[in-house]
Amino acid sequence: MRFRQVHLDFHTSEAITPIGERFDKGQFQEMLQLGSVDSITVFSKCHHGWAYHPSEANEIHPGLSFDLLGAQIEAAHEIGVKTPVYLSAGLDEKLAIQHPEWLIRDKEDATNWVKGFMDPGYHVICFNTPYLDILLSQIAETLSRYDADGLFLDIVGVKSCYCHSCVATARREGIDPRNAEDMRPLWERTYANYTAKVKETVESVKPGLPIFHNGGHIKRGRRDLAWMNTHLELESLPTGGWGYDHFPLSARYAQTLGMEFLGMTGKFHTTWGEFGGYKHPNALRYEAALSIANGAKCSIGDQLPPNGQMDKATYALIGAAYREVESKEAWCTGTTNVADVAILSLEATGVHPKVKEEGVKSESDVGAIRMLLEGNFLFDVIDSEQNFSAYRVLILPDYVAVEDSLLEKLEAYLEQGGKLLATGWSGLDAEAESFVIDFGARLVGRNPYRPDYCRPLFKPGSLEEAAFIFYSQGQKIELQGGTELGRREDPYFNRDVYTFCSHQHTPNSETYGGPGIVKNENGIYIAWNVFDEYAEKGSLILKETVVHALKQLLPDITLDTTLPAQGVVTLQEQKAEKRLVNHLLYATPIRRGKSIEVIEDIIPLHNVEVSVRTDADVKGVYLAPQLTPLPYHFENGVVSYTVPELDCHQMVVIDYNE
C-alpha cells in the first residue's frame, strides 16, 4: 500500500455537458508530481450512476466523449502512480429513478439519504434486490478491461431496510418485519452476501486485488466487518464534522487489528462535494503527520472539476504535506504501537443493560481518547477480543457491560497483575445491584443527587484543593477494604421547582456523601461517568482526576514528556529495523464559523523534554528525517533527550541492539 494517496471524487451530473474536455495527460501527470502523489483513486462509476468509460454493463456519462478512466490509468501508470478504481455501490441515482422499488425504505416507506424525489440528493439502493447483480457485472467489466490497482466501493454497510424485497424475504422466512431485532439478521446477511459476491467476482477476474468497502466508519468490536476488506481506509475529515480527535480514536483501534490502513482526510475547507474550498497548508501537513504517527498511510480527498482539468492550487497544497511524508516513510513502515494503556471501547462492548433501557447515547470513547491524548499517554483502543495482557492498565469507560465472557477475561488479566480503571456503571452487575469486580467498595445504588461534588484527597494537577462540581450521574458507594482517594459531598438539595438556588445548581452543603474515588489491588474506581461528561463539558477537573488515577496505576510509565496538552505523542516500534520511533506533533485547532475546526498557524515549540523507558540496549538517538544525532542520557532502562524544535511534527529515532 502506498503512503501518499489521493481519492479523486468525480460525482458529475448529467445536466453538465460536455465533461472531461480539458483533460490532458501531461497536465494530469504534472499535477500528480506537483502533489508528490504515488496513488490516485479514479472513477469508474459515480453516485449519479454514470460510467466514465465505454460500458455495456452501465451507460457512459452523456457528456463524455472519450474513455476518461482509461486515460487516467494510462497517464498515472506511465509515471509510476497506482490507480485503485472507485465504483459507487450504495448510490446510483440513474437506477434509483428507473427502479424506485429497489431503494432502501424505513418503516414509513421514506427513502434513505433524502426522503423522496422532490429534494435534491441521492437515494440508497438495497443489495437484497436485482441491483446487486447489475453492480457485480459493472465491477467485472471494469476490472477485466482496466489495469486497476485496487477496488474502492462506497456507501455500504449493514443497513436497516423495509423495502418490498426485504419484507417479502422476511415473511417468507417467518420473520416479523415489525420487529427490528428480528429483522437485523436479515440485514446482516444481506451485507455479508454482498461482500462475498464482490470478492468472488474480483477473484474471478483479478485474484488478490485489494478491496475496500467504505461505510464511513470502522465499527469497533466488529472484526468480522473489518475483515471483509483487504485493508482499511479511515475516513476522517476534521473540518467535515469529524474533528481532530476522531482519527486517533479510529487509528488506535485499527492498528490493533493487524491490517494495513490509510488515514483519509480532505483538501476541502469543509467536506466532500465542496468545489473551491481549500485548507491551509499547515492543516494538511498536520493531518498527514497524524496519520503516519499512528501507523497509517495517507489519503487526501479531492474532487475533479467537470472539465477534467486537475486544479493546480490543490496539488500545490497536497504537495506541501506529501513531500514531508515522502521524506519520513522509511521510519513509518512495518510499525507496531507501544502502549501502556488500553481503552476497552464502549462501542465494542455495548452499554450496561440498565443504561440501555434508558436510551443513553454515550460519548465515553471520545472523552477517554481526549483525556489520554491531552495527558500524553501511550494507548490503544481495543475490543474484548484483544489480548489484554499486552497492557498494564485497562480503562472501562462509564457504561461497559461486563458480561460473563468479558468478566472471565478481566479476572484472568487481574490475576496476571493488570490494573483496571473503571468509571460510572462499568464493573456493575446486570441489575446494577453490586460490583462484579472488587474495587474495595460496596455499591449502595444510584446516587440520589445530580449534580454533586467531588473533593479529591490529592492535589489535582494544576488545580488547587477544592470541592469540584461533577455533572454526570454518580453511583453511591461505601468503602469495603479499599482506600479512599476522593470523597463525595452532597448539595443541599436537587434543583426543583420548590427548592432551587442561583442560576444553575445547588451549592455544596459539605455533607459527606461517601467515597467517590476508591483504590485497591485491582485498580481504581471513579463513581461518576467522567469520560462522557468530559466529551460534553471538558471540565479540567475530570481530566486531572483521570490523569492522577493513571499515574497511580503506572508508577513506571513508558514515556514522559513536557509536550503541552494540545500536542500528540506516540511511540511506534520497527522491530525489523531494531528501533523505536517517537512521534511528537503540535498544532492548535481553532473554531471558525459555528462548527469547523481549522488549523492555520503552527507555532514551533522548543526544548521539549522526553524520557522513554525501554528494556532494549539503546545505542543511538537521532532526529528523523534530518538524521541529526541527538544528545541523550541512558540509565536504568530510561533514555532521556530534549527535542530542540518541534515544528508541526518531529520524529525521534531510538536505535537499539538485539
Side-chain angles (χ1 to χ4, degrees), residues 192-207:
N193 177 66
Y194 148 77
T195 62
K197 291 286 189 183
V198 167
K199 184 175 182 180
E200 178 183 311
T201 301
V202 171
E203 291 296 308
S204 70
V205 181
K206 285 196 172 182

Side-chain angles (χ1 to χ4, degrees), residues 613-624:
R613 185 176 298 275
T614 175
D615 294 331
D617 179 22
V618 174
K619 66 177 184 179
V621 179
Y622 62 92
L623 300 174

Side-chain angles (χ1 to χ4, degrees), residues 253-279:
Y253 177 68
Q255 197 173 14
T256 69
L257 301 179
M259 303 174 70
E260 280 195 288
F261 66 106
L262 295 171
M264 178 188 285
T265 184
K267 69 96 178 183
F268 318 106
H269 171 63
T270 57
T271 191
W272 298 109
E274 179 181 63
F275 292 101
Y278 301 87
K279 280 188 172 122

Side-chain angles (χ1 to χ4, degrees), residues 214-517:
N214 185 45
H217 176 62
I218 306 301
K219 185 173 176 60
R220 297 182 290 281
R222 291 299 305 270
R223 295 186 176 208
D224 57 332
L225 298 180
W227 289 336
M228 290 174 185
N229 306 282
T230 59
H231 65 283
L232 302 176
E233 304 196 21
L234 309 184
E235 187 177 356
S236 185
L237 281 64
T239 56
W242 283 262
Y244 275 95
D245 52 13
H246 177 270
F247 176 73
L249 175 56
S250 294
R252 291 278 33 85
Y253 177 68
Q255 197 173 14
T256 69
L257 301 179
M259 303 174 70
E260 280 195 288
F261 66 106
L262 295 171
M264 178 188 285
T265 184
K267 69 96 178 183
F268 318 106
H269 171 63
T270 57
T271 191
W272 298 109
E274 179 181 63
F275 292 101
Y278 301 87
K279 280 188 172 122
H280 193 283
N282 280 338
L284 275 189
R285 287 179 61 213
Y286 179 82
E287 290 159 25
L290 191 62
S291 284
I292 61 176
N294 282 280
K297 296 178 173 67
C298 308
S299 177
I300 297 175
D302 179 29
Q303 183 160 228
L304 186 67
N307 63 24
Q309 185 175 58
M310 301 280 270
D311 179 51
K312 186 174 181 179
T314 291
Y315 288 87
L317 177 63
I318 292 173
Y322 273 177
R323 281 187 293 277
E324 290 189 27
V325 172
E326 185 174 14
S327 71
K328 299 170 182 176
E329 291 173 11
W331 295 273
C332 302
T333 57
T335 60
T336 55
N337 188 52
V338 178
D340 286 327
V341 182
I343 301 169
L344 183 56
S345 170
L346 185 63
E347 180 182 69
T349 63
V351 301
H352 190 283
K354 283 291 184 181
V355 181
K356 190 174 183 179
E357 291 174 6
E358 299 174 10
V360 170
K361 294 183 179 179
S362 169
E363 293 293 325
S364 299
D365 284 355
V366 173
I369 195 101
R370 287 178 183 168
M371 286 191 191
L372 268 64
L373 285 170
E374 293 167 12
N376 294 322
F377 290 97
L378 302 180
F379 67 95
D380 279 336
V381 177
I382 64 171
D383 56 33
S384 57
E385 295 182 51
Q386 183 70 358
N387 177 13
F388 294 171
S389 65
Y391 308 99
R392 297 167 63 194
V393 176
L394 187 60
I395 295 176
L396 279 58
D398 296 340
Y399 305 101
V400 171
V402 183
E403 307 291 350
D404 290 345
S405 59
L406 176 56
L407 178 59
E408 186 177 333
K409 284 195 70 173
L410 291 174
E411 288 174 339
Y413 171 72
L414 292 171
E415 286 176 8
Q416 295 166 7
K419 303 295 182 183
L420 299 178
L421 173 58
T423 60
W425 296 80
S426 297
L428 308 188
D429 66 11
E431 297 302 318
E433 293 178 348
S434 63
F435 285 103
V436 295
I437 298 166
D438 179 15
F439 289 109
R442 185 182 74 84
L443 180 68
V444 176
R446 194 181 305 199
N447 189 53
Y449 294 107
R450 181 180 181 187
D452 61 354
Y453 296 83
C454 176
R455 186 180 294 275
L457 303 180
F458 54 86
K459 186 181 183 304
S462 55
L463 298 170
E464 296 300 322
E465 295 182 11
F468 297 90
I469 186 72
F470 275 30
Y471 290 96
S472 61
Q473 176 63 54
Q475 303 297 327
K476 190 172 182 63
I477 60 176
E478 294 177 349
L479 279 182
Q480 190 168 289
T483 300
E484 189 175 32
L485 299 182
R487 55 179 279 161
R488 180 193 304 282
E489 294 184 356
D490 297 334
Y492 287 95
F493 40 74
N494 285 325
R495 190 173 178 88
D496 182 73
V497 62
Y498 300 118
T499 54
F500 69 90
C501 179
S502 191
H503 296 291
Q504 290 194 62
H505 47 258
T506 309
N508 183 12
S509 71
E510 300 187 13
T511 302
Y512 181 61
I517 308 168

